[in-house]
Amino acid sequence: MFVPAAGEWRPPAECSLLLPAVSVGNVGQLAVDLIISTLDMPKVGYFYTDCLVPMVGNNPYATSEEHAKELCINAEIYASSDKKLAVLQIRSPLIKKKSRAFCEALTSWIKKCAFTRVVLLSSSHAYQRDDTQLFGTPFRYLVTPTLQTMVADTMKELEWKEMEKLSLYPGINDEEKKTSIPGGGFTKRLFEDCCSMGIHMAAVLKFCSEGDNIPDAFALLDHVNRWLHLLDLPDDVGTAHWKIPSSWRLLFGSGLPSALF
């Protein structure tokens, strides 16, 4: 359920929604952090749900000591009217067995807001790739049938690679295949729900491993930026200038206390 931060907020006409999946390496969430910080997007509300692990913390995008005192919770919505873009940032994992309820609540809100398109940023375990996925680009995408007709030419022009369907019984019966996104969190379930509800949705993911996933977040965002044009590219440079949020200074903790030495 959407709860406005102040007053009432409605998405503008032809507004897109961008959100992350809580997946391997938190790549989608890190990429969304970069978008919010770079575009200086104001908070417009919260997505209230009992499906996420509760959490509270300081403002992750604070630019001054005063702003640092503001609080953030597990699911917040930011928006840019100039870009016609809304961003849902998710900061905590789903509670066990709450995935279906969360996706139902999310798709219901998406339908109510009538977003032009929904883009989910996700990731998948690199070590669980099929042999055919070991070569070429580490990026994959999925689009719902309703969006496929609208972006087919664009995806072909960008030379993006669609997520392969893998055999249910490799070497025994290669006719039966399914979409598999190991480590992708609720990516597959949300995609299937959007397919059944006729929502214009695309999932863009990167194969990666746990560790320092900041480079993966930058790579995924640059990849998506080629399609969405969130930020203009500098001349003769293939990557945009994304602004790192202040909270990333403690991404790996505050370091060892000097008293130990």
Side-chain angles (χ1 to χ4, degrees):
M1 180 178 69
F2 173 72
V3 179
E8 187 177 357
W9 176 81
R10 291 183 181 276
E14 299 182 357
C15 182
S16 299
L17 173 68
L18 196 147
L19 73 156
V22 185
S23 53
V24 54
N26 306 107
V27 176
Q29 294 160 292
L30 292 172
V32 168
D33 263 354
L34 290 170
I35 294 171
I36 296 171
S37 179
T38 303
L39 300 181
D40 194 23
M41 302 177 74
K43 186 193 305 181
V44 296
Y46 311 89
F47 190 77
Y48 177 75
T49 175
D50 61 354
C51 299
L52 296 170
V53 174
M55 66 135 296
V56 66
N58 293 102
N59 182 3
Y61 314 114
T63 55
S64 66
E65 186 175 345
E66 181 181 354
H67 291 157
K69 297 176 182 179
E70 299 173 2
L71 297 179
C72 73
I73 60 171
N74 53 12
E76 296 183 326
I77 299 158
Y78 300 77
S80 170
S81 55
D82 293 338
K83 296 285 184 179
K84 293 186 177 180
L85 177 69
V87 174
L88 168 61
Q89 177 61 299
I90 302 171
R91 299 192 177 94
S92 68
L94 284 169
I95 294 173
K96 191 175 181 180
K97 297 184 179 180
K98 289 278 191 176
S99 177
R100 179 180 296 278
F102 177 74
C103 289
E104 288 177 353
L106 186 55
T107 51
S108 176
W109 177 65
I110 290 170
K111 290 285 284 186
K112 182 179 179 181
C113 290
F115 290 110
T116 302
R117 63 187 171 191
V118 179
V119 181
L120 177 70
L121 303 184
S122 184
S123 53
S124 183
H125 284 300
Y127 73 88
Q128 287 191 260
R129 283 175 292 178
D130 182 75
D131 289 347
T132 59
Q133 297 173 331
L134 294 173
F135 303 96
T137 176
F139 303 101
R140 294 292 188 275
Y141 78 92
L142 288 167
V143 289
T144 58
T146 52
L147 185 61
Q148 175 68 38
T149 55
M150 300 170 60
V151 301
D153 292 340
T154 301
M155 297 306 177
K156 186 176 181 179
E157 182 181 340
L158 292 172
E159 298 182 345
W160 279 19
K161 196 167 185 179
E162 193 170 4
M163 190 68 172
E164 301 87 348
K165 289 188 176 182
L166 306 181
S167 299
L168 284 172
Y169 309 102
I172 300 175
N173 183 357
D174 292 330
E175 296 298 322
E176 296 184 52
K177 296 186 176 182
K178 67 173 182 178
T179 299
S180 179
I181 310 176
F186 60 81
T187 301
K188 183 180 177 181
R189 183 181 292 277
L190 182 62
F191 175 74
E192 291 175 345
D193 287 355
C194 288
C195 285
S196 63
M197 296 182 67
I199 294 174
H200 295 172
M201 184 263 200
V204 187
L205 60 91
K206 184 180 187 296
F207 293 118
C208 64
S209 302
E210 292 281 4
D212 182 358
N213 296 103
I214 291 177
D216 294 310
F218 275 101
L220 178 62
L221 196 49
D222 283 328
H223 184 70
V224 171
N225 192 54
R226 293 175 58 201
W227 172 33
L228 300 182
H229 304 291
L230 301 171
L231 205 64
D232 294 331
L233 293 174
D235 294 337
D236 302 323
V237 179
T239 59
H241 294 310
W242 303 106
K243 179 183 176 183
I244 295 176
S246 56
S247 56
W248 282 24
R249 290 177 297 177
L250 301 176
L251 202 59
F252 298 101
S254 56
L256 297 174
S258 57
L260 289 175
F261 305 97

